[in-house]
Amino acid sequence: MEVEEKNPDSKYGDPRKFDPTFKGPIHNRGCTDILCCILFILALLGYFVVGILAWSQGDPRKVIYPTDSRGQFCGQAGTPLENKPLLFYFNIMKCASPLVLLEFQCPTTQICVESCPNKYITLLKALKSKEDRDYYKQFCKADKDISTMKAPEILRERLCPAILIPSRPFTRRCLPALETRKGVVVVGNETTFMDDSDGDRINATDLLEATKKSNMVVEARQVAMKIFEDYTQSWHWILLGLVTAMVVSLIFIVLLRFLAGVMIWVMILMVIGVIGYGIFHCYMQYAEMKGVPGSDVTIRDLGLQTDFSVYLQIQQTWLAFVIILSIVEVVILILLIFLRKRILIAIALIKEASRAVGHVMSSLVYPLFTFALLFLVIAYWAITAVFLSTSNEPIYKVFNNTVSCEHAGSTCNPETFNSSNVSAQCPDAECRFVSYGGETYYHKYLILFQFYNLFLFFWCANFVTALGQVTLSGAFASYYWAYKKPDDIPAYPIFSSLGRALRYHTGSLAFGSLILAIVQVIRVILEYLDQKLKGAQNKFAKFLLSCLKCCFWCLEKFIKFLNRNAYIMVAIYGKNFCTSARDAFFLLMRNIIRVAVLDKVTDFLLFLGKLLIVGIVGICSFFFFSGKIKAFADTAPTLNYYWVPILTVVIGSYLIAHGFFSVYAMCVDTLFLCFLEDLERNDGSAERPYFMSENLLQILDKSKTNNKTVT
């Protein structure tokens, strides 16, 4: 057959020359990018040092247990406060102070209690009755006995609150039991309260504002605890859903091995059908809610709700689902119509990839190794981040609310405060726990340690992904360049390729991962700045930030594409990262039409396969956890948010399907680059025969025809 003319003066480099000794991935190779390998090893050693420092200084209990004004943990086992799991605020109104925002601590005395107060009572009233006084004492400091003390003395020494208000435990904190009756905010049937500390009356509406301020930091914890509770109730069903996704993915891959053409068309039709059913179901839900009281409320009017199931009770949500799914359906149909001829060519390439996977079956197991490594990286990063966040020491400051005090705001020691000069100069002052921090070098540079932890997380995660790409591409390249298949294929292609990657190319993998990690960290910084500037009025700054975010998003996508193809060239020729990236880029640019015709269309088809698996498992989990299936209504667990297990199963199913289909995607990309190399090296004659199969020869003929049509 005729070979396309090559242009030796091409700005994208010269085509490959015929080499009779080339038989696939080169075995006699040397170490590449040694400097970057050394840098990566040193960075890992530093990462371990940061982890050890964090684990020696951190205390995860600070995340779980609330702390009183002395920094003691409420409800912690093995401590005097073991039976006092709840935190009680002496004056919840102080939580409306700006100090809450400045120091992330409510500027009022806080103690640990067994239970929250369940009735309204003042200190003056409690001192008149022994029964009331005994009840009141459980919400006072245990430093002194108040039985013989007068109310002014008790309040001056901050031993007890001025009043007790009916409260309820909320994320281990006692907050006022607020209700709204006929548009009026009440607490225990009361709308106003007498504050014995200054004689003023407190409005329940003002109390609501203070409660919101005190709850600002802990509201997310309530949602997190409910989500955690849902996980404890449904984890075995989630695991079953993920196993189902794995089985479905494996069955799909096996069928793809023997019935690639049929499975691709079945997959396309099923994706269209699943999305079509989603449109039908959402529209029926939308139609059923017509005339239902309250269903005409808009999402904007509803605002942000922690119970996301509330959104499913309004028409606008289902209408939005219908519109989104319809757009997705139309886009897929348009792409299928315009790519119908290229799909036939891509199916032929997927068939060849199926043969390659069939000869290298161990490649289907390799994603499990990648998942295990990524799990270790994520776990190490998360644990280190928690320990770093909780490695601060308790800081105590002087508070004085009555008269001015020159020592107000300065640090103090609660154990020696009563005998210090500060207590003598400011009799009304008290030494109160405010937050966690520290004055050591470790605490001063704690933010840098967090940044280093994040940066190494991206670097290590990208390295693990790169290792998987090089390993798979080396194995599939061994298949392609085996002239007599399967006789010339190495016995253990995956293990051989993994050994070459770790022994010779750790530096190259670290180099490519480092570039990608730098871009990803910059994107994180831009997202952080975007959150900080949301309330700003400078439109130019917002516009500039949006442009930067868009540019770095595009840069990250390009680097991922370039790295992927560079790793294939590293696996085949054993050259350094920069040389491999240049060779891969020039090879693709010399065959840019085929890249558009074959490579990207196969990616689209494989994405539809992942979408199909996620759709099947997601729909089944939705009907199960939402109780729509009557046969399993009693079996389904009772949950706070039934979307939690559904979303977990959907995300997990996508990751599982992505893991299996990534093998096919890597196989297609490797075969494609080898295919282009083969065209440049050989001409199909007896002296220079192609390594490609008859199937790929047919692809060449079809792609050439399409090239002429396009040009």
Side-chain angles (χ1 to χ4, degrees):
M1 67 184 304
E2 295 181 3
V3 181
E4 292 178 323
E5 294 183 1
K6 309 294 191 301
N7 183 7
D9 298 325
S10 173
K11 63 180 179 180
Y12 297 116
D14 297 329
R16 295 281 183 180
K17 303 298 182 183
F18 173 70
D19 184 3
T21 62
F22 182 74
K23 301 295 183 181
I26 297 173
H27 295 279
N28 297 325
R29 57 180 72 193
C31 296
T32 56
D33 297 303
I34 300 176
L35 184 61
C36 198
C37 178
I38 296 174
L39 179 63
F40 183 61
I41 294 174
L42 293 176
L44 286 180
L45 293 177
Y47 200 18
F48 293 140
V49 171
V50 170
I52 293 172
L53 283 175
W55 298 341
S56 62
Q57 300 288 332
D59 190 353
R61 296 174 302 174
K62 298 171 185 176
V63 179
I64 303 173
Y65 302 101
T67 54
D68 63 8
S69 296
R70 296 183 177 180
Q72 298 174 311
F73 297 104
C74 299
Q76 182 186 353
T79 65
L81 301 178
E82 180 178 1
N83 297 323
K84 297 182 177 181
L86 304 175
L87 186 68
F88 172 73
Y89 299 93
F90 269 26
N91 188 354
I92 193 68
M93 291 297 297
K94 295 293 182 68
C95 296
S97 168
L99 288 174
V100 176
L101 303 177
L102 293 176
E103 300 189 2
F104 300 100
Q105 182 70 19
C106 187
T108 185
T109 304
Q110 303 163 41
I111 63 172
C112 299
V113 295
E114 294 183 11
S115 60
C116 297
N118 55 16
K119 61 181 179 180
Y120 169 73
I121 185 173
T122 65
L123 176 61
L124 287 175
K125 181 180 179 182
L127 293 176
K128 296 177 181 179
S129 167
K130 183 179 184 301
E131 181 180 354
D132 290 339
R133 184 170 63 248
D134 292 339
Y135 174 80
Y136 211 94
K137 284 171 63 176
Q138 62 180 316
F139 303 103
C140 298
K141 291 181 180 179
D143 299 343
K144 294 183 180 180
D145 185 10
I146 64 170
S147 301
T148 59
M149 301 177 65
K150 300 296 183 180
E153 185 181 4
I154 295 174
L155 294 175
R156 184 177 64 250
E157 296 187 18
R158 304 290 195 273
L159 297 178
C160 297
I163 57 173
L164 293 182
I165 299 173
S167 305
R168 295 171 183 168
F170 180 77
T171 63
R172 300 194 179 191
R173 289 161 174 81
C174 294
L175 298 179
L178 295 165
E179 298 179 6
T180 302
R181 296 182 181 178
K182 297 181 180 180
V184 180
V185 180
V186 298
V187 182
N189 296 324
E190 298 286 344
T191 58
T192 59
F193 306 92
M194 176 69 72
D195 185 355
D196 286 353
S197 60
D198 53 15
D200 296 334
R201 297 194 66 83
I202 302 173
N203 193 299
T205 305
D206 298 332
L207 195 63
L208 174 63
E209 183 65 25
T211 304
K212 288 181 179 179
K213 289 288 185 68
S214 66
N215 187 40
M216 179 177 55
V217 179
V218 300
E219 187 173 279
R221 180 178 289 183
Q222 181 213 23
V223 179
M225 293 301 293
K226 287 187 177 181
I227 291 175
F228 179 77
E229 182 182 347
D230 288 343
Y231 278 127
T232 59
Q233 296 291 329
S234 60
W235 66 269
H236 49 289
W237 294 110
I238 293 175
L239 187 61
L240 180 61
L242 297 179
V243 171
T244 303
M246 184 177 296
V247 172
V248 173
S249 300
L250 190 59
I251 292 174
F252 196 91
I253 292 295
V254 172
L255 292 176
L256 203 61
R257 164 69 179 88
F258 299 101
L259 303 169
V262 176
M263 287 301 299
I264 292 296
W265 286 113
V266 170
M267 174 190 70
I268 292 173
L269 294 177
M270 289 189 68
V271 167
I272 296 174
V274 168
I275 297 178
Y277 174 77
I279 296 173
F280 170 76
H281 178 78
C282 293
Y283 178 77
M284 293 303 296
Q285 292 290 329
Y286 171 77
E288 288 178 3
M289 289 188 176
K290 286 186 177 179
V292 177
S295 63
D296 57 345
V297 178
T298 63
I299 297 177
R300 175 176 293 183
D301 294 337
L302 195 60
L304 180 62
Q305 302 291 328
T306 56
D307 186 1
F308 293 98
S309 61
V310 174
Y311 295 104
L312 301 180
Q313 308 301 320
I314 59 177
Q315 282 185 294
Q316 196 176 72
T317 302
W318 294 105
L319 180 61
F321 287 158
V322 170
I323 294 173
I324 293 172
L325 290 177
S326 299
I327 293 174
V328 173
E329 184 88 326
V330 171
V331 169
I332 291 177
L333 288 174
I334 292 175
L335 288 175
L336 291 175
I337 292 172
F338 283 95
L339 298 177
R340 62 188 184 279
K341 293 183 179 179
R342 298 180 181 182
I343 288 175
L344 296 175
I345 304 172
I347 289 175
L349 186 58
I350 293 178
K351 286 182 179 179
E352 186 63 26
S354 299
R355 294 191 182 94
V357 173
H359 288 294
V360 191
M361 289 298 292
S362 57
S363 61
L364 294 177
V365 184
Y366 186 83
L368 299 179
F369 177 68
T370 301
F371 281 146
L373 291 180
L374 285 176
F375 176 79
L376 290 177
V377 171
I378 295 172
Y380 185 87
W381 164 76
I383 293 173
T384 303
V386 170
F387 274 87
L388 285 172
S389 301
T390 59
S391 59
N392 290 313
E393 298 174 351
I395 295 178
Y396 299 86
K397 290 187 178 182
V398 177
F399 281 83
N400 193 75
N401 298 326
T402 55
V403 296
S404 60
C405 176
E406 61 179 348
H407 299 286
S410 60
T411 57
C412 58
N413 187 341
E415 297 180 359
T416 61
F417 180 76
N418 292 331
S419 59
S420 64
N421 294 330
V422 177
S423 179
Q425 297 176 10
C426 306
D428 294 332
E430 60 177 324
C431 186
R432 190 180 304 160
F433 166 80
V434 291
S435 62
Y436 289 94
E439 300 297 330
T440 64
Y441 284 105
Y442 171 78
H443 295 99
K444 288 181 180 179
Y445 297 105
L446 195 57
I447 186 65
L448 295 180
F449 290 149
Q450 285 283 25
F451 178 81
Y452 187 76
N453 182 37
L454 178 66
F455 178 73
L456 262 293
F457 164 71
F458 282 124
W459 196 357
C460 293
N462 292 329
F463 180 85
V464 171
T465 303
L467 179 62
Q469 292 174 346
V470 169
T471 300
L472 291 174
S473 60
F476 292 128
S478 299
Y479 162 83
Y480 184 92
W481 296 108
Y483 188 70
K484 294 182 180 179
K485 302 176 178 63
D487 297 337
D488 294 341
I489 302 176
Y492 303 102
I494 289 290
F495 290 104
S496 300
S497 181
L498 178 61
R500 289 194 300 269
L502 291 175
R503 180 178 179 183
Y504 299 110
H505 306 303
T506 299
S508 297
L509 302 182
F511 191 11
S513 304
L514 174 63
I515 298 173
L516 186 57
I518 292 173
V519 175
Q520 290 172 333
V521 168
I522 293 175
R523 289 194 62 201
V524 171
I525 294 175
L526 291 175
E527 289 292 340
Y528 174 77
L529 294 176
D530 187 33
Q531 293 295 325
K532 289 293 184 181
L533 292 175
K534 274 191 174 179
Q537 302 297 325
N538 193 332
K539 294 185 178 181
F540 176 76
K542 292 182 178 180
F543 172 76
L544 181 61
L545 192 60
S546 300
C547 292
L548 288 174
K549 287 170 61 178
C550 179
C551 291
F552 277 96
W553 179 84
C554 296
L555 180 60
E556 181 183 355
K557 294 300 180 183
F558 174 75
I559 291 177
K560 284 184 176 180
F561 172 78
L562 187 62
N563 283 6
R564 186 182 182 88
N565 291 282
Y567 295 145
I568 296 175
M569 303 301 280
V570 168
I572 298 174
Y573 294 103
K575 297 181 180 180
N576 61 54
F577 176 80
C578 292
T579 303
S580 300
R582 181 199 62 194
D583 293 344
F585 181 74
F586 284 174
L587 178 63
L588 293 173
M589 292 305 296
R590 291 196 298 267
N591 298 270
I592 189 63
I593 300 297
R594 287 197 180 96
V595 173
V597 171
L598 297 177
D599 194 44
K600 296 298 107 183
V601 178
T602 55
D603 289 345
F604 172 68
L605 294 179
L606 294 177
F607 173 74
L608 290 184
K610 290 184 280 188
L611 203 62
L612 174 63
I613 293 173
V614 171
I616 293 175
V617 178
I619 289 175
C620 293
S621 61
F622 170 76
F623 280 106
F624 176 77
F625 288 111
S626 61
K628 300 290 184 180
I629 304 177
K630 295 182 179 180
F632 298 100
D634 297 332
T635 308
T638 303
L639 305 171
N640 297 301
Y641 310 126
Y642 70 81
W643 54 264
V644 170
I646 296 174
L647 194 61
T648 304
V649 170
V650 167
I651 295 175
S653 300
Y654 180 81
L655 294 176
I656 291 172
H658 178 73
F660 282 103
F661 279 89
S662 66
V663 175
Y664 259 85
M666 201 67 215
C667 181
V668 168
D669 290 344
T670 303
L671 295 182
F672 183 66
L673 255 65
C674 293
F675 166 67
L676 299 179
E677 288 265 330
D678 197 7
L679 290 179
E680 293 186 348
R681 285 179 175 275
N682 307 300
D683 57 7
S685 63
E687 294 79 12
R688 297 165 59 184
Y690 289 125
F691 282 81
M692 69 187 78
S693 64
E694 291 296 328
N695 182 44
L696 287 179
L697 286 174
Q698 295 176 6
I699 295 177
L700 174 62
D701 290 336
K702 293 180 180 179
S703 63
K704 285 178 66 177
T705 303
N706 283 347
N707 289 351
K708 293 178 181 179
T709 303
V710 173
T711 55

